[in-house]
Amino acid sequence: MSARTIRRRLQQSGLSARRPLLGVPLTQNHRRLRHQWCDERRMWAVECNEIVFTDESRICLKHHDGRIRVWRHRGERILNSCVMHRHTGPAPDIKVWGGIGYHSRTPLVRIAGTLNSQRYISEVLEPIVLPYLQGLATAIFQQDNARSHVAYIVHMFFVNHQIELLPWPARSPDLSPIENMWSMVAQRLTQISPPAATPVNFGNVWKLLGLLCPKNTSKVSMNQCRSVWQRRSSTMAVTLATDSGRNHTLQKSINLINMLSTK
């Protein structure tokens, strides 16, 4: 049976070719802990609105998705109007730390160089996190398991300041809604012309997409960020419904391909 016939049969079954979703490799222990984490919190309602999700992100300031097209005639490939100029070296980027809650957001912190545990305390936790959490009635602080986050001095900082931490399963960025916010910020930055794509604009985009104060009249943010929270719930549901880390739709496709290949 030819590959063309197999593709046609797959399309007739309602399947279509798509770019694969990128994800981190998970062991059986990772999957078990992720499933346990979601199962213990699947009934959370008010508690979820008290979580402050935080993360660092490195975003390229001059980037395209490779799908830019130009209309030209044959032989016009090297015309200047048909050439997209870009640097061959590393593209300029910016690394930042930020956090979002259900009704508010933290200021954006630009990070230069490597963020170790001492810098995490002196540049993020003390000047940003403490004042922010003190302005909230109740809060559960979330961070991933980066080395700078789980160091002993950082752990003692949270203990001394009585900050409640949300236990976080390893290799689970998909469970944090702030990852969706970084994607929104990156998408908005690609819409800015290259000369204007600066760290200043990065902060402006963050203010636009972050959860703004009620007095702000922006029409963006609130709906977008609450939809991000809904994605978090659906992601937990998918994690709970996943059997041994294999999506049922993917397994159905594999079974269909195997069946066609044996004919």
Side-chain angles (χ1 to χ4, degrees):
M1 181 176 290
S2 66
R4 182 177 179 180
T5 301
I6 294 178
R7 285 195 297 268
R8 185 173 63 252
R9 295 287 180 85
L10 291 175
Q11 291 175 352
Q12 292 173 352
S13 300
L15 300 175
S16 56
R18 294 289 186 269
R19 290 185 178 184
L21 179 66
L22 299 179
V24 294
L26 299 174
T27 65
Q28 289 300 323
N29 188 52
H30 290 143
R31 301 183 194 280
R32 180 183 61 81
L33 293 176
R34 282 164 52 88
H35 189 283
Q36 178 181 341
W37 187 91
C38 293
D39 186 53
E40 292 173 351
R41 294 163 180 82
R42 61 180 175 178
M43 301 303 294
W44 277 21
V46 178
E47 296 90 339
C48 287
N49 298 341
E50 298 175 352
I51 302 175
V52 178
F53 291 94
T54 68
D55 191 24
E56 296 92 21
S57 179
R58 184 187 301 274
I59 296 183
C60 182
L61 297 178
K62 295 182 180 179
H63 175 72
H64 65 86
D65 58 6
R67 292 179 291 179
I68 297 176
R69 300 290 186 268
V70 295
W71 291 91
R72 62 176 176 83
H73 294 96
R74 184 181 296 274
E76 295 180 344
R77 184 167 180 256
I78 62 174
L79 289 181
N80 189 60
S81 59
C82 300
V83 176
M84 184 177 65
H85 300 278
R86 66 181 180 89
H87 296 286
T88 57
D93 57 17
I94 180 175
K95 185 177 181 181
V96 294
W97 176 95
I100 58 172
Y102 191 71
H103 297 291
S104 59
R105 62 173 176 81
T106 70
L108 200 66
V109 181
R110 185 178 182 183
I111 300 173
T114 303
L115 183 69
N116 56 32
S117 56
Q118 189 60 53
R119 289 187 59 196
Y120 183 50
I121 294 176
S122 61
E123 298 180 20
V124 176
L125 296 181
E126 288 181 340
I128 303 298
V129 173
L130 278 183
Y132 174 76
L133 295 182
Q134 290 171 357
L136 302 177
T138 55
I140 303 174
F141 189 78
Q142 181 274 337
Q143 60 178 5
D144 60 23
N145 298 307
R147 289 187 177 183
S148 59
H149 298 170
V150 298
Y152 178 75
I153 59 174
V154 175
H155 170 72
M156 292 308 301
F157 178 89
F158 289 124
V159 171
N160 294 335
H161 291 86
Q162 299 180 345
I163 297 176
E164 182 179 357
L165 288 177
L166 177 67
W168 197 249
R171 299 190 178 186
S172 300
D174 56 319
L175 296 179
S176 175
I178 198 172
E179 298 294 338
N180 300 88
M181 294 301 300
W182 294 135
S183 298
M184 293 179 185
V185 171
Q187 183 179 10
R188 286 300 182 92
L189 282 176
T190 59
Q191 300 171 0
I192 302 176
S193 58
T198 63
V200 175
N201 280 319
F202 188 96
N204 291 338
V205 173
W206 172 256
K207 292 179 181 178
L208 180 64
L209 291 176
L211 282 171
L212 304 179
C213 299
K215 62 181 180 181
N216 194 299
T217 57
S218 173
K219 296 181 180 180
V220 193
S221 300
M222 189 62 70
N223 291 336
Q224 284 187 328
C225 292
R226 285 184 176 172
S227 69
V228 162
W229 248 255
Q230 294 175 356
R231 293 180 193 177
R232 173 201 54 78
S233 300
S234 61
T235 302
M236 290 179 62
V238 169
T239 302
L240 287 171
T242 301
D243 181 18
S244 300
R246 296 182 299 178
N247 186 277
H248 295 294
T249 303
L250 176 60
Q251 188 61 37
K252 180 180 178 182
S253 305
I254 294 174
N255 293 337
L256 180 58
I257 293 174
N258 292 337
M259 180 185 66
L260 293 173
S261 301
T262 56
K263 289 185 177 181

